[in-house]
Amino acid sequence: MYPGKKIQLLVPCLTFFICVHAQQFAGNPPSVKWNQVNTPTSRIIFGEGLDSTAKRVSNILSFLEMNTANTIGKSKKKINLVFQNHTTVSNAYVALGPYRSEFFLTHLQNSFELGSLPWPDQLAIHEFRHVQQYNNFNVGISKIFHVLFGQEGQALANDAAIPNWFFEGDAVFNETNVSNQGRGRLPFFFNPYRALWLAGKEYSWMKLRNGSYRDFTPDHYALGYLLVAFGREKYGDEFWKNVTHDAASFKGMFYPFQHAIKKFSGKSFVQFRNDALNYFKNYFIPEIEKTGFLLGHHPYISEEYPAFAEDNSLVLVKINYSHPPVFILRQGHSERKIRVKDVSLDNHFSYKNGKIVYASFQQDIRWGYRDYSNLNILNTQTGKQQMLTHRSKYFSPDINEAGTKVVAVHVSPLGESGLHVLDAKNGHIINTVPNEHHLFYTYPKFYKADKIISAVRDTAGQMAVAMISIIDGSVEYITPFSINVIGFLSEWHDTIYFSAAHKNDDLLFAYLVASKELFSIEAGSHVQGTGFYEACANNNYLVWTTFTANGYHLQQMMKSELNWKKILPEELLEKASDFGISAIHKTNANLLNQVPNHNYKVTKYPKATRLVNFHSIEPTADDPEYTLTLVSENILNTLQSQFSFTYNRIEEFKKIGFNSVYGALFPVLSAGLDYTIDRRGLYHGRRVFWNEMEPRVGISLPLNISKGRSLSFLTAGSNFIYNQSNFKGPYKDTLGNVSYSYTSNFFSFIHQVQSARQNIFPRFAQTISLVYKRALTNYEGSQFTANGNLYFPGLLKNHHLVINGAYLFRDTSGQINFSNDFPFSRGYTGESLHQMIKWGVNYHLPLFLPDAGFANLVYLLRVRGNVFYDFTHVSDFFSNASKFSAKFRSTGAELFFDTKWWNEAPLTFGLRYSYLLDDDIFGGIGRNRWELILPVNLLKQ
């Protein structure tokens, strides 16, 4: 549903991006007991204590299936949905391969971002739209792909036919349509495009679709809603149903989605999208005319959560595209770096009396669906940090004036919210504030010695500002409950500041406690962005953040220069804006409030349910081998299995394989079997043929030991392999059956600091991989391989020095020749010899950030280079036992292109030139070598 926080993860020679809460294999411990609510629409699978939530979601999904088919299609297929309630991330997804959904049930603190509706309700009305999309896009050629390749085949065809902006834009429209809120009613959601228009930035369509390493660009959720909402507004409820049916069917083989839009709107896709963007831009023209354009190009620098220090300097978090978030102390025009922020889910922090308190993210050491939000205290003078809590789930902390107590929101696995007051020295709980009204707290702040102010949500998702007694939990509401979102509270003496959505904008308000007066605060023509957030005050000044085309920007003004307009609290009750889209009030409007309350039966969900669940066939072409793989994965994601058939074009052998991995125990267990028919080779100069069988079992332990500002991963394990070869033909009696067994033991470790968007690699990182193989029966043989990489900063920002090394040693018996992944010097033809030592130096640097594309086919985000030097020394023995040694040195350069294809699929490829400083005695002739560097597993998901 929502893009998770992205963290760059290194493996040797490759760079991946992982989502903190993407799908996790075997993410729950075996102690979890699962229940289910099973209806014709869905099977909700959940842990203990979530019965009422599961019943509510089941009712919502069944009701939406009955009442919203008119806008997407009537096809139905039951969805399996798993609740994950031990995470700290707010997210969800629906996927094919296998067809299932998962909800991550921890509520988000920031109501401006996703709204204030009860979190399971919000997930249900958004994610079920994805369920309906997949059910109704299984038509035409997409259905043929489904028949041929299973669910992943449909996913591939759907992604090729229908852009990702539609999937998410349609889901956002649905959540806005069927509820009384949704992101289409939140001013915050429109900030990205409003900021671009305010700044006079007219980016190309391809840049808006593909993003940039240089400039801020909105995501496909915002873009999708603008286009989908415009389509529903101008062309009716069935417009997108018709468009997507034709597109998924591939009516109009080339660019089927654009073809369908022209068919049903009468306009070309270019004209349609321009009309849609101009529709919203014109809606905001009065704002643009009032404020004026902010011209000029500035690098992306985002500054958040300002706080006045005692000397009136500012403490803030600063983020840019070349550096991870860092705490800054700013005095006038000078800045002092305090410390890089630990890995966190957001940038929130609080400051008092020289101390910063904030929450950082920590993953469980073994289970991917277990993670924590721990509190940290940071001394701004020394830069030293103390972890206050461990394996906890605390959010949005605040520290009192004396620096002795911390208050934070605690969210239980059942979704219950509470306020805990903790000792700032040791993290011990001093007081748990009673919560009789089942409020959900966000952004609490100490007020005086015995009270806390907080933005709160009630069980219906309405929000208010509340003053809560620390002693007995009694509540005084400063504002009336409203569906308009509220947050970012702060206080200065007798005044409480907060942000709230009001009509088309997120505005700043102030409440005077003594006189009980409420004011809206306006900055007039001094506004430099859109929205007022994260305000703080001292005696004379007010500072806040506003969203601009270059990130969050701090604005500071004297209180006396601001317009304080007294208002009645009832004015905050005004309905949320529809931003010119009347369609959200028509068909299916506010269905969420009409959902019935059927008391569905709760039963046990056996963990062994459909352990074998074949869902897709994956074709792989890695010449000379071509493979078809039948893929299985159960809904709880604890068992993954594969049946495969491989044909080798050169040797003409056929291989049938089976692999299975079971991850529900603390160690991961694996087993497999390969049977190869018609292997062939040479024996004493004559051709021999044999069939080969190789069963194997293994055990591994993947550990996530990340902490603080770095990410660390350790994996260790062992495989036992048995190989038996049955010779055929004339050598059947001479060679007979040959068998042996061996173990393959492995260890890998990855450690890295956080990366920024423009970083090619982390500025500091280390990786090491060790593999030891040894024969156990009938034959002698052993091999040890080590690979490692060290990553350092280069001379300039985003430059990286990478030093790598490798070592291989194998026995001299020659009876078994183990495979290996030794990184031979680039440009040479490598061989596996008795002993090999390799080291290399690489210098990676960005060259261009073109932000340019061609025909909506390929978009070039970045061109980067690498200059390298490799040295490999090998030693072995000739047949007469005399020693052989050689060295293989090469130098050269690599040119990499970071691209996106069809405005969605990221792809990096490159060219390599190697100059050989020594003879290539195992390969070709000549010193100059050119290679094309292609991605791994290009054809697989």
Side-chain angles (χ1 to χ4, degrees):
M1 173 182 183
Y2 311 111
K5 178 173 178 161
K6 290 191 173 178
I7 300 175
Q8 199 175 36
L9 171 63
L10 279 175
V11 297
C13 303
L14 294 172
T15 302
F16 292 90
F17 285 89
I18 62 170
C19 190
V20 172
H21 267 281
Q23 178 179 313
Q24 299 281 342
F25 174 64
N28 290 294
S31 58
V32 176
K33 294 178 176 145
W34 297 99
N35 299 312
Q36 63 177 333
V37 171
N38 196 0
T39 73
T41 301
S42 63
R43 177 185 286 107
I44 313 295
I45 305 166
F46 56 95
E48 294 179 329
L50 295 172
D51 301 45
S52 60
T53 303
K55 292 177 183 179
R56 170 65 176 171
V57 171
S58 295
N59 275 289
I60 292 173
L61 302 190
S62 298
F63 192 67
L64 291 180
E65 184 177 65
M66 288 189 299
N67 291 280
T68 59
N70 52 345
T71 60
I72 190 68
K74 297 181 179 180
S75 295
K76 301 177 182 179
K77 185 179 179 182
K78 185 174 182 174
I79 184 71
N80 290 289
L81 194 165
V82 183
F83 284 175
Q84 304 292 352
N85 64 315
H86 288 275
T87 71
T88 58
V89 178
S90 307
N91 212 333
Y93 73 86
V94 176
L96 293 173
Y99 179 55
R100 68 169 170 217
S101 178
E102 289 189 300
F103 286 7
F104 307 105
L105 291 179
T106 298
H107 302 231
L108 193 71
Q109 284 284 293
N110 188 350
S111 303
F112 293 91
E113 186 173 344
L114 300 176
S116 60
L117 294 175
W119 186 237
D121 290 19
Q122 170 79 2
L123 293 178
I125 60 179
H126 182 101
E127 297 304 324
F128 190 69
R129 193 58 168 190
H130 292 319
V131 172
Q132 293 178 302
Q133 289 165 352
Y134 281 129
N135 289 347
N136 286 280
F137 296 170
N138 188 27
V139 292
I141 290 181
S142 293
K143 187 170 185 177
I144 293 174
F145 269 69
H146 192 150
V147 171
L148 294 176
F149 302 109
Q151 293 175 16
E152 289 181 4
Q154 181 193 335
L156 177 65
N158 286 171
D159 289 344
I162 300 172
N164 60 355
W165 63 255
F166 175 80
F167 279 95
E168 297 302 346
D170 181 53
V172 171
F173 185 92
N174 190 68
E175 74 185 46
T176 309
N177 179 204
V178 304
S179 75
N180 60 357
Q181 195 182 75
R183 276 171 282 183
R185 288 188 176 95
L186 299 180
F188 187 93
F189 185 66
F190 294 87
N191 280 348
Y193 277 94
R194 292 171 73 172
L196 291 184
W197 295 330
L198 277 170
K201 293 182 180 290
E202 300 290 344
Y203 292 148
S204 70
W205 170 254
M206 291 195 73
K207 184 165 182 172
L208 292 176
R209 287 289 289 119
N210 296 286
S212 170
Y213 283 112
R214 182 176 58 200
D215 301 312
F216 165 78
T217 52
D219 63 26
H220 59 284
Y221 288 75
L223 177 63
Y225 181 78
L226 300 186
L227 271 63
V228 169
F230 174 78
R232 284 283 290 270
E233 184 75 10
K234 292 299 180 182
Y235 301 105
D237 294 331
E238 296 192 350
F239 175 69
W240 291 115
K241 179 174 72 172
N242 296 330
V243 166
T244 54
H245 181 275
D246 274 22
S249 301
F250 283 83
K251 295 181 178 179
M253 183 62 68
F254 299 102
Y255 300 105
F257 193 81
Q258 292 87 330
H259 182 273
I261 282 181
K262 184 173 183 179
K263 175 181 176 181
F264 293 104
S265 72
K267 295 183 177 180
S268 69
F269 177 66
V270 172
Q271 186 62 53
F272 173 84
R273 76 192 189 211
N274 289 339
D275 288 350
L277 294 178
N278 286 331
Y279 179 85
F280 284 95
K281 186 176 180 180
N282 291 335
Y283 181 84
F284 293 113
I285 272 183
E287 171 194 48
I288 296 172
E289 292 176 342
K290 177 182 70 175
T291 308
F293 293 108
L294 299 178
L295 300 176
H297 179 79
H298 302 280
Y300 178 90
I301 298 176
S302 197
E303 300 173 337
E304 291 194 71
Y305 293 98
F308 280 111
E310 290 68 29
D311 61 356
N312 292 324
S313 59
L314 282 174
V315 181
L316 61 132
V317 171
K318 187 175 182 179
I319 313 104
N320 60 43
Y321 280 169
S322 60
H323 199 282
V326 60
F327 290 111
I328 294 291
L329 183 64
R330 178 179 293 166
Q331 182 74 57
H333 296 290
S334 64
E335 292 184 347
R336 177 173 67 85
K337 174 182 171 182
I338 301 172
R339 187 183 190 272
V340 172
K341 197 170 185 284
D342 283 5
V343 175
S344 304
L345 297 176
D346 58 32
N347 290 316
H348 174 271
F349 76 94
S350 293
Y351 169 88
K352 293 282 176 57
N353 199 22
K355 293 181 180 179
I356 286 172
V357 60
Y358 71 101
S360 63
F361 176 84
Q362 184 178 6
Q363 186 73 53
D364 185 84
I365 193 171
R366 168 62 179 90
W367 306 108
Y369 286 140
R370 296 286 193 275
D371 54 58
Y372 311 101
S373 184
N374 300 318
L375 299 183
N376 301 286
I377 296 280
L378 172 62
N379 188 306
T380 59
Q381 296 302 315
T382 64
K384 292 183 179 180
Q385 180 172 290
Q386 170 195 357
M387 182 177 284
L388 197 61
T389 65
H390 302 266
R391 296 170 66 89
S392 58
K393 296 183 184 295
Y394 286 118
F395 305 89
S396 302
D398 184 48
I399 189 166
N400 68 349
E401 196 70 41
T404 58
K405 296 179 181 180
V406 170
V407 62
V409 177
H410 177 265
V411 181
S412 77
L414 301 183
E416 298 166 342
S417 176
L419 293 176
H420 287 186
V421 179
L422 303 96
D423 191 314
K425 290 183 179 179
N426 52 34
H428 293 165
I429 297 176
I430 299 173
N431 189 35
T432 299
V433 179
N435 185 10
E436 295 180 1
H437 303 289
H438 304 288
L439 300 172
F440 188 86
Y441 303 104
T442 66
Y443 302 112
K445 295 287 183 181
F446 283 106
Y447 183 76
K448 309 298 183 185
D450 60 344
K451 295 185 184 299
I452 294 168
I453 54 171
S454 175
V456 298
R457 307 175 195 157
D458 65 14
T459 55
Q462 298 186 105
M463 296 199 72
V465 177
M467 186 175 291
I468 305 117
S469 169
I470 294 177
I471 305 303
D472 60 13
S474 59
V475 181
E476 175 189 350
Y477 295 108
I478 291 173
T479 67
F481 275 100
S482 166
I483 200 61
N484 294 309
V485 295
I486 299 173
F488 305 123
L489 273 67
S490 66
E491 56 80 29
W492 179 254
H493 296 329
D494 195 40
T495 304
I496 298 170
Y497 299 92
F498 62 92
S499 299
H502 185 64
K503 299 181 180 179
N504 287 347
D505 299 287
D506 293 327
L507 301 179
L508 184 60
F509 297 87
Y511 179 80
L512 276 58
V513 177
S515 62
K516 296 186 177 181
E517 294 176 301
L518 182 63
F519 294 85
S520 68
I521 300 176
E522 299 174 358
S525 60
H526 297 284
V527 175
Q528 297 181 9
T530 177
F532 292 75
Y533 310 103
E534 305 162 6
C536 70
N538 62 11
N539 283 331
N540 299 312
Y541 288 94
L542 190 67
V543 62
W544 66 91
T545 64
T546 186
F547 193 83
T548 76
N550 301 309
Y552 284 98
H553 176 74
L554 295 193
Q555 286 197 253
Q556 180 173 315
M557 292 182 64
M558 293 188 68
K559 293 179 180 178
S560 59
E561 295 178 345
L562 294 165
N563 180 20
W564 293 61
K565 179 183 177 183
K566 187 175 179 180
I567 64 171
L568 296 174
E570 290 75 22
E571 293 184 50
L572 296 178
L573 295 174
E574 188 163 342
K575 290 184 179 180
S577 174
D578 60 18
F579 293 94
I581 301 298
S582 61
I584 63 174
H585 306 297
K586 298 176 182 177
T587 306
N588 303 331
N590 208 9
L591 287 176
L592 190 61
N593 283 351
Q594 305 169 40
V595 174
N597 186 25
H598 299 303
N599 188 22
Y600 292 119
K601 183 179 179 182
V602 175
T603 60
K604 298 296 183 183
Y605 182 79
K607 296 180 183 179
T609 302
R610 292 193 68 182
L611 276 176
V612 179
N613 177 35
F614 292 109
H615 57 78
S616 302
I617 297 175
E618 296 178 348
T620 304
D622 188 10
D623 191 68
E625 292 191 351
Y626 300 85
T627 303
L628 285 176
T629 304
L630 182 61
V631 182
S632 168
E633 183 178 322
N634 65 323
I635 298 304
L636 290 179
N637 200 8
T638 56
L639 181 67
Q640 296 177 344
S641 303
Q642 297 179 343
F643 281 101
S644 62
F645 175 80
T646 299
Y647 175 73
N648 186 290
R649 179 179 59 83
I650 295 178
E651 295 188 33
E652 297 182 349
F653 67 73
K654 286 77 67 179
K655 181 168 67 176
I656 300 170
F658 167 75
N659 289 285
S660 188
V661 181
Y662 183 69
L665 302 177
F666 189 75
V668 175
L669 307 178
S670 61
L673 172 67
D674 288 336
Y675 186 76
T676 307
I677 304 169
D678 295 334
R679 290 293 308 270
R680 64 183 183 180
L682 293 177
Y683 179 73
H684 292 172
R686 293 180 178 272
R687 181 75 66 186
V688 294
F689 297 88
W690 73 97
N691 296 339
E692 184 177 84
M693 180 177 67
E694 192 170 80
R696 59 194 170 274
V697 294
I699 186 171
S700 65
L701 189 59
L703 301 177
N704 187 329
I705 53 177
S706 303
K707 186 178 180 181
R709 293 173 290 185
S710 62
L711 308 171
S712 301
F713 306 88
L714 185 153
T715 303
S718 180
N719 293 306
F720 173 82
I721 301 99
Y722 175 80
N723 184 289
Q724 178 173 305
S725 300
N726 301 316
F727 288 85
K728 303 186 295 183
Y731 288 90
K732 179 178 180 181
D733 296 329
T734 305
L735 299 176
N737 297 333
V738 177
S739 64
Y740 63 92
S741 61
Y742 68 95
T743 61
S744 177
N745 310 290
F746 55 90
F747 171 88
S748 68
F749 175 74
I750 300 171
H751 172 266
Q752 67 172 84
V753 299
Q754 300 175 73
S755 292
R757 181 176 178 82
Q758 290 181 349
N759 295 162
I760 301 171
F761 301 109
R763 291 174 62 79
F764 290 99
Q766 307 84 40
T767 73
I768 186 169
S769 174
L770 307 175
V771 179
Y772 179 65
K773 299 178 180 180
R774 183 175 182 84
L776 298 178
T777 59
N778 298 337
Y779 295 93
E780 293 184 0
S782 64
Q783 178 178 281
F784 173 76
T785 308
N787 284 289
N789 296 270
L790 299 174
Y791 297 80
F792 301 100
L795 297 175
L796 300 175
K797 283 185 178 180
N798 304 317
H799 288 211
H800 304 272
L801 175 66
V802 183
I803 301 173
N804 52 51
Y807 174 75
L808 181 143
F809 181 88
R810 67 181 178 88
D811 73 299
T812 58
S813 67
Q815 296 183 16
I816 298 178
N817 189 13
F818 294 107
S819 63
N820 67 77
D821 59 352
F822 185 86
F824 216 83
S825 292
R826 277 163 279 194
Y828 289 97
T829 304
E831 290 287 343
S832 182
L833 303 174
H834 166 61
Q835 181 174 275
M836 301 191 290
I837 302 173
K838 187 258 182 179
W839 62 270
V841 178
N842 301 264
Y843 193 87
H844 294 265
L845 70 163
L847 299 176
F848 310 103
L849 301 176
D851 283 351
F854 172 74
N856 288 305
L857 179 64
V858 60
Y859 188 79
L860 186 57
L861 287 157
R862 177 171 61 189
V863 181
R864 52 188 173 91
N866 174 39
V867 181
F868 68 85
Y869 173 82
D870 286 344
F871 179 97
T872 300
H873 181 271
V874 304
S875 61
D876 210 315
F877 299 91
F878 290 106
S879 57
N880 62 2
S882 61
K883 191 172 182 179
F884 159 80
S885 66
K887 59 184 178 182
F888 301 86
R889 298 169 299 163
S890 65
T891 186
E894 296 169 328
L895 194 63
F896 292 96
F897 303 90
D898 296 326
T899 66
K900 280 194 177 181
W901 291 75
W902 301 288
N903 291 327
E904 286 193 29
L907 181 68
T908 294
F909 63 93
L911 295 171
R912 177 186 297 145
Y913 167 73
S914 303
Y915 179 76
L916 309 190
L917 301 174
D918 301 291
D919 293 333
D920 187 5
I921 61 177
F922 300 121
I925 59 175
R927 301 280 181 166
N928 300 293
R929 303 290 168 85
W930 292 90
E931 297 173 82
L932 180 63
I933 307 171
L934 293 175
V936 178
N937 292 335
L938 176 61
L939 300 181
K940 296 178 70 174
Q941 279 198 334

